[in-house]
Short mmCIF file of all heavy atoms in Angstrom, two decimals:
data_model
loop_
_atom_site.label_atom_id
_atom_site.label_comp_id
_atom_site.label_asym_id
_atom_site.label_seq_id
_atom_site.Cartn_x
_atom_site.Cartn_y
_atom_site.Cartn_z
N ILE A 522 -0.81 31.03 -26.89
CA ILE A 522 0.12 30.83 -25.77
C ILE A 522 0.58 29.36 -25.74
O ILE A 522 1.77 29.08 -25.53
CB ILE A 522 -0.57 31.15 -24.43
CG1 ILE A 522 -1.10 32.58 -24.42
CG2 ILE A 522 0.33 30.84 -23.24
CD1 ILE A 522 -0.22 33.61 -23.82
N LEU A 523 -0.36 28.47 -25.98
CA LEU A 523 -0.01 27.03 -25.96
C LEU A 523 1.02 26.74 -27.06
O LEU A 523 2.03 26.07 -26.83
CB LEU A 523 -1.28 26.18 -26.16
CG LEU A 523 -1.07 24.67 -26.25
CD1 LEU A 523 -0.52 24.10 -24.95
CD2 LEU A 523 -2.39 23.95 -26.60
N GLN A 524 0.77 27.26 -28.25
CA GLN A 524 1.71 27.03 -29.36
C GLN A 524 3.10 27.57 -29.01
O GLN A 524 4.12 26.91 -29.22
CB GLN A 524 1.20 27.70 -30.64
CG GLN A 524 0.04 26.97 -31.29
CD GLN A 524 -0.56 27.75 -32.46
OE1 GLN A 524 -0.71 28.98 -32.39
NE2 GLN A 524 -0.91 27.05 -33.52
N MET A 525 3.10 28.76 -28.42
CA MET A 525 4.39 29.37 -28.08
C MET A 525 5.10 28.53 -27.03
O MET A 525 6.27 28.18 -27.17
CB MET A 525 4.12 30.78 -27.56
CG MET A 525 5.32 31.68 -27.63
SD MET A 525 4.86 33.42 -27.60
CE MET A 525 3.46 33.57 -26.61
N GLU A 526 4.37 28.20 -25.97
CA GLU A 526 4.99 27.45 -24.86
C GLU A 526 5.51 26.08 -25.33
O GLU A 526 6.54 25.61 -24.87
CB GLU A 526 3.98 27.26 -23.73
CG GLU A 526 4.53 26.37 -22.64
CD GLU A 526 3.81 26.46 -21.30
OE1 GLU A 526 3.04 27.41 -21.09
OE2 GLU A 526 4.03 25.54 -20.49
N MET A 527 4.81 25.47 -26.30
CA MET A 527 5.21 24.13 -26.72
C MET A 527 6.12 24.17 -27.95
O MET A 527 6.43 23.12 -28.54
CB MET A 527 3.96 23.28 -27.02
CG MET A 527 3.05 23.06 -25.82
SD MET A 527 3.85 22.28 -24.39
CE MET A 527 3.99 20.58 -24.96
N GLY A 528 6.54 25.35 -28.37
CA GLY A 528 7.49 25.46 -29.47
C GLY A 528 6.90 25.11 -30.82
O GLY A 528 7.60 24.63 -31.71
N LEU A 529 5.59 25.35 -31.01
CA LEU A 529 4.94 25.07 -32.29
C LEU A 529 4.79 26.38 -33.07
O LEU A 529 4.73 27.46 -32.47
CB LEU A 529 3.56 24.45 -32.05
CG LEU A 529 3.58 23.08 -31.35
CD1 LEU A 529 2.20 22.72 -30.81
CD2 LEU A 529 4.07 22.00 -32.33
N LEU A 530 4.70 26.25 -34.39
CA LEU A 530 4.52 27.45 -35.22
C LEU A 530 3.23 28.18 -34.82
O LEU A 530 2.18 27.54 -34.72
CB LEU A 530 4.40 27.05 -36.69
CG LEU A 530 5.67 26.92 -37.50
CD1 LEU A 530 5.29 26.60 -38.95
CD2 LEU A 530 6.49 28.20 -37.42
N PRO A 531 3.29 29.49 -34.63
CA PRO A 531 2.09 30.21 -34.19
C PRO A 531 1.12 30.47 -35.33
O PRO A 531 0.87 31.62 -35.70
CB PRO A 531 2.66 31.52 -33.62
CG PRO A 531 3.92 31.73 -34.38
CD PRO A 531 4.45 30.38 -34.78
N SER A 532 0.58 29.39 -35.88
CA SER A 532 -0.28 29.54 -37.05
C SER A 532 -1.72 29.17 -36.71
O SER A 532 -1.96 28.19 -36.01
CB SER A 532 0.25 28.63 -38.17
OG SER A 532 -0.76 28.40 -39.10
N PRO A 533 -2.71 29.93 -37.26
CA PRO A 533 -4.11 29.55 -37.00
C PRO A 533 -4.57 28.38 -37.86
O PRO A 533 -5.59 27.78 -37.60
CB PRO A 533 -4.89 30.82 -37.37
CG PRO A 533 -4.00 31.57 -38.29
CD PRO A 533 -2.58 31.17 -38.02
N ALA A 534 -3.78 28.02 -38.91
CA ALA A 534 -4.28 27.05 -39.88
C ALA A 534 -4.41 25.61 -39.34
O ALA A 534 -5.48 25.02 -39.44
CB ALA A 534 -3.39 27.08 -41.11
N PRO A 535 -3.35 25.02 -38.81
CA PRO A 535 -3.49 23.61 -38.43
C PRO A 535 -4.42 23.44 -37.23
O PRO A 535 -4.56 24.34 -36.40
CB PRO A 535 -2.06 23.20 -38.05
CG PRO A 535 -1.34 24.45 -37.76
CD PRO A 535 -2.01 25.55 -38.52
N ALA A 536 -5.05 22.28 -37.17
CA ALA A 536 -5.87 21.95 -36.00
C ALA A 536 -4.92 21.54 -34.87
O ALA A 536 -4.07 20.67 -35.06
CB ALA A 536 -6.80 20.80 -36.33
N VAL A 537 -5.04 22.19 -33.71
CA VAL A 537 -4.21 21.80 -32.56
C VAL A 537 -4.93 20.67 -31.83
O VAL A 537 -6.06 20.83 -31.37
CB VAL A 537 -3.96 22.99 -31.61
CG1 VAL A 537 -3.18 22.53 -30.38
CG2 VAL A 537 -3.22 24.11 -32.33
N ILE A 538 -4.25 19.52 -31.77
CA ILE A 538 -4.85 18.35 -31.13
C ILE A 538 -4.15 18.13 -29.78
O ILE A 538 -2.94 17.95 -29.74
CB ILE A 538 -4.66 17.08 -32.00
CG1 ILE A 538 -5.28 17.29 -33.38
CG2 ILE A 538 -5.27 15.87 -31.31
CD1 ILE A 538 -5.10 16.11 -34.32
N GLY A 539 -4.91 18.16 -28.71
CA GLY A 539 -4.32 17.98 -27.38
C GLY A 539 -4.51 16.56 -26.87
O GLY A 539 -5.49 15.89 -27.20
N MET A 540 -3.54 16.12 -26.05
CA MET A 540 -3.68 14.86 -25.29
C MET A 540 -3.07 15.08 -23.92
O MET A 540 -1.94 15.59 -23.82
CB MET A 540 -2.92 13.71 -25.96
CG MET A 540 -3.54 13.20 -27.23
SD MET A 540 -2.67 11.69 -27.80
CE MET A 540 -3.35 10.46 -26.69
N VAL A 541 -3.79 14.73 -22.87
CA VAL A 541 -3.24 14.75 -21.51
C VAL A 541 -3.59 13.38 -20.95
O VAL A 541 -4.76 13.05 -20.81
CB VAL A 541 -3.91 15.84 -20.64
CG1 VAL A 541 -3.34 15.82 -19.23
CG2 VAL A 541 -3.76 17.21 -21.28
N SER A 542 -2.57 12.60 -20.64
CA SER A 542 -2.90 11.20 -20.41
C SER A 542 -1.81 10.47 -19.65
O SER A 542 -0.63 10.80 -19.78
CB SER A 542 -3.08 10.54 -21.77
OG SER A 542 -3.47 9.21 -21.64
N ARG A 543 -2.24 9.46 -18.89
CA ARG A 543 -1.25 8.47 -18.47
C ARG A 543 -0.81 7.75 -19.74
O ARG A 543 -1.65 7.40 -20.58
CB ARG A 543 -1.88 7.48 -17.49
CG ARG A 543 -2.21 8.09 -16.14
CD ARG A 543 -2.75 7.07 -15.14
NE ARG A 543 -4.07 6.59 -15.51
CZ ARG A 543 -4.34 5.35 -15.89
NH1 ARG A 543 -3.38 4.45 -15.97
NH2 ARG A 543 -5.57 4.97 -16.21
N LEU A 544 0.48 7.56 -19.90
CA LEU A 544 0.97 6.96 -21.15
C LEU A 544 1.02 5.45 -20.99
O LEU A 544 2.06 4.87 -20.65
CB LEU A 544 2.34 7.56 -21.51
CG LEU A 544 2.34 9.09 -21.66
CD1 LEU A 544 3.75 9.63 -21.94
CD2 LEU A 544 1.39 9.54 -22.77
N THR A 545 -0.12 4.83 -21.20
CA THR A 545 -0.25 3.38 -21.02
C THR A 545 -1.04 2.80 -22.19
O THR A 545 -1.66 3.53 -22.96
CB THR A 545 -1.05 3.04 -19.75
OG1 THR A 545 -2.39 3.55 -19.93
CG2 THR A 545 -0.46 3.65 -18.51
N GLY A 546 -1.06 1.45 -22.23
CA GLY A 546 -1.83 0.76 -23.26
C GLY A 546 -3.31 1.11 -23.18
O GLY A 546 -3.98 1.22 -24.21
N GLN A 547 -3.83 1.27 -21.98
CA GLN A 547 -5.27 1.58 -21.82
C GLN A 547 -5.67 2.77 -22.68
O GLN A 547 -6.76 2.83 -23.24
CB GLN A 547 -5.59 1.88 -20.35
CG GLN A 547 -7.06 2.29 -20.13
CD GLN A 547 -7.33 2.99 -18.79
OE1 GLN A 547 -6.50 2.96 -17.88
NE2 GLN A 547 -8.46 3.62 -18.66
#
Side-chain angles (χ1 to χ4, degrees):
I522 303 265
L523 176 65
Q524 286 173 319
M525 200 159 34
E526 174 162 345
M527 298 303 286
L529 296 164
L530 272 184
S532 160
V537 176
I538 302 178
M540 288 188 78
V541 179
S542 183
R543 290 184 291 113
L544 302 177
T545 63
Q547 177 197 346

